[in-house]
Structures are given as structure tokens and as C-alpha cells.
């Protein structure tokens, strides 16, 4: 008596039940998904930087004047307790812009999630020490993310033409968001930190740019429209 023929379906079923084959399929699928994810991240980074490159200025003399500057917040100190150079250089750049007449008023937007952490207040104090009067500063206590800071600048503080102030790597994302929110913005690149100063910050920015694309086109998050200081 001839045995039953071994069909393709039987072979595939056996292959699926084989732990080694299943592991190989899983690894191949993971590699494919990983490659797709890396490609998406790189494409988003390229497009955000490329599409905003003409709006970023590195020389004070070439920067167009605007009434309002939006300063994006960061912590005053790093985890080790040392001075955060990102913070220091942003404050110095902001003071330069105000003293040169490139901006007249300043919105300081950052995180104030507890009474012990207040980026807008820290920025205000630093700018006062640099000779900027408190009367030209407005504090935005709900700039929890860059997206929030940019959108609130328009929706809460009624500003549609601004100069964004941060480091170059950060400005691109802020400008990209502003462009899609109907804000006419340029950006001034504050002095950059030394190479290798904060690799974690740069990696985080690479991952934040695809999230900005999601926010702009798909998620459309609604920032907090309140502006109360947490005390």
C-alpha cells in the first residue's frame, strides 16, 4: 500500500511547528521591522532639518528682527548637579538678541511640573543677571514639550510671528511644528555644546523628530491652555 503523499501544506505546518524555524522567522521579522523603523526615523530627521534649513540663522547680523522671541526651556543643571551648558548658552543668546534690538519681548517657555522644578523662573533669573529687564519677559509655565511651547505661543499668547531661540539641533523641530501651525518663524542658533557633551540629548532629539511628524499629521495633541505656576 502506497503511503499518503507529503503535501506542501503538511510541510508548511511541520515547519511552523518546528521551534528552530519559528525562531528564524521571528528573527527575520524583527530585523525587517527594525530596518523599517530606522528608515522612518532617518527620513523624518532628514525632512525636518531640510525643510527648515532656510529659517535658521547663526549670525546675529543676518537675523531678521521680530517683536517676540520664544525661548525653549531646558534644565538649569544636569543630573550631576553641574551647570547645563545648553541652558547657559540659550540665555546668553537671548540676552544678545534683546540687547541688539533683534527682539523686544521674550516668552520663556518650559516645564514647571512641581514647586521644585521651574524652567521659566530659572530662565527669568538668568536673564535678569545678564541685564534683561523683567518687564519684557513673559513666563509660560506649561511648555512641557516643544510642541506645547510652539502651539501655546500662538494659541495662548497670540503670537504668529516669532524668533525661536535654542540650539541648532532643537530649532529645526520647533520650526517644523511652527510651520504647520501657521506661525511665521525664524530661529537663532545658540552656541552649541562641545562634541560628546550630551550624547543622550542628541539621541533623544533624533527620536523626537518622528514624534513631531506624528503630532503634526496624525495625533494633533491639545496642549494645556492654562498658565498657572505650580507653587
Amino acid at each position: 500500500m502506497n503511503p499518503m503523499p507529503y503535501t506542501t501544506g503538511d510541510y508548511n505546518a511541520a515547519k511552523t511547528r518546528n521551534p528552530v524555524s519559528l525562531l528564524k522567522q521571528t528573527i527575520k521579522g524583527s530585523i525587517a521591522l527594525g530596518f523599517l523603523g530606522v528608515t522612518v526615523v532617518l527620513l523624518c530627521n532628514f525632512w525636518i532639518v531640510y525643510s527648515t534649513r532656510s529659517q535658521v540663522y547663526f549670525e546675529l547680523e543676518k537675523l531678521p528682527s521680530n517683536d517676540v522671541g520664544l525661548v525653549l526651556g531646558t534644565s538649569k543643571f544636569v543630573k550631576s548637579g553641574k551647570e547645563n551648558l545648553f541652558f547657559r548658552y540659550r540665555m546668553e543668546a537671548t540676552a544678545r538678541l534683546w540687547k541688539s534690538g533683534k527682539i523686544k519681548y521674550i516668552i520663556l517657555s518650559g516645564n514647571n511640573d512641581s514647586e521644585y522644578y521651574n524652567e521659566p523662573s530659572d530662565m527669568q533669573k538668568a536673564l535678569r543677571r545678564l541685564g534683561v529687564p523683567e518687564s519684557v519677559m513673559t513666563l509660560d509655565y506649561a511648555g512641557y514639550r516643544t510642541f506645547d511651547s510652539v502651539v501655546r505661543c500662538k494659541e495662548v499668547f497670540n503670537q504668529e510671528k516669532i524668533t525661536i531661540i535654542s540650539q541648532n539641533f532643537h530649532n529645526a523641530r520647533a520650526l517644523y511644528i511652527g510651520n504647520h501651525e501657521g506661525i511665521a518663524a525664524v530661529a537663532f542658533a545658540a552656541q552649541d555644546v562641545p562634541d560628546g557633551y550630551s550624547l543622550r540629548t542628541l539621541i533623544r532629539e533624533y527620536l523626537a523628530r518622528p514624534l513631531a511628524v506624528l503630532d503634526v499629521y496624525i495625533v494633533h495633541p491639545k496642549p494645556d491652555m492654562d498658565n498657572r505656576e505650580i507653587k
Side-chain angles (χ1 to χ4, degrees):
M1 184 174 179
N2 294 330
M4 292 284 292
Y6 196 61
T7 66
T8 302
D10 293 333
Y11 173 77
N12 289 336
K15 185 178 179 181
T16 302
R17 288 193 297 269
N18 186 328
V20 175
S21 297
L22 183 60
L23 178 60
K24 288 181 179 179
Q25 291 175 7
T26 302
I27 292 174
K28 289 180 180 179
S30 299
I31 292 174
L33 287 175
F35 179 77
L36 177 62
V38 170
T39 301
V40 169
V41 169
L42 292 177
L43 286 174
C44 288
N45 273 269
F46 170 79
W47 179 243
I48 286 178
V49 173
Y50 180 82
S51 65
T52 60
R53 69 196 187 285
S54 63
Q55 297 168 259
V56 181
Y57 291 81
F58 297 85
E59 299 177 35
L60 187 65
E61 296 73 19
K62 296 181 179 180
L63 177 72
S65 298
N66 275 325
D67 284 344
V68 176
L70 171 64
V71 187
L72 301 176
T74 186
S75 58
K76 184 177 179 180
F77 302 103
V78 296
K79 287 186 176 181
S80 64
K82 295 182 179 179
E83 177 186 32
N84 182 358
L85 292 182
F86 288 113
F87 179 93
R88 173 184 170 184
Y89 294 155
R90 284 182 206 180
M91 298 308 103
E92 291 176 350
T94 302
R96 284 182 62 203
L97 264 59
W98 182 81
K99 291 177 180 179
S100 66
K102 292 294 183 178
I103 55 175
K104 298 177 182 177
Y105 304 98
I106 305 167
I107 296 175
L108 304 172
S109 183
N111 194 350
N112 171 217
D113 58 6
S114 77
E115 62 179 309
Y116 305 106
Y117 188 79
N118 192 328
E119 290 177 355
S121 180
D122 287 341
M123 289 191 284
Q124 182 186 55
K125 293 173 184 176
L127 287 174
R128 286 174 60 187
R129 287 193 292 269
L130 291 170
V132 180
E134 188 174 326
S135 59
V136 304
M137 295 184 250
T138 298
L139 277 60
D140 174 14
Y141 296 107
Y144 303 118
R145 300 191 305 146
T146 301
F147 186 90
D148 296 341
S149 295
V150 174
V151 173
R152 281 172 53 81
C153 189
K154 178 182 178 181
E155 300 297 332
V156 176
F157 300 103
N158 303 311
Q159 300 301 318
E160 298 184 2
K161 188 178 181 183
I162 60 173
T163 298
I164 296 170
I165 305 163
S166 186
Q167 272 72 28
N168 181 44
F169 74 91
H170 192 191
N171 282 335
R173 177 160 55 101
L175 286 167
Y176 183 81
I177 295 168
N179 290 343
H180 287 270
E181 293 296 324
I183 299 173
V186 294
F188 183 71
Q191 179 180 340
D192 213 342
V193 300
D195 291 340
Y197 176 77
S198 181
L199 181 60
R200 184 170 63 93
T201 298
L202 297 179
I203 293 174
R204 185 173 60 189
E205 182 61 28
Y206 264 83
L207 298 177
R209 288 172 183 166
L211 293 178
V213 174
L214 286 176
D215 284 342
V216 165
Y217 289 109
I218 299 175
V219 181
H220 306 295
K222 299 297 181 184
D224 186 353
M225 290 294 115
D226 199 357
N227 196 40
R228 291 177 296 178
E229 181 181 15
I230 297 176
K231 297 181 178 180

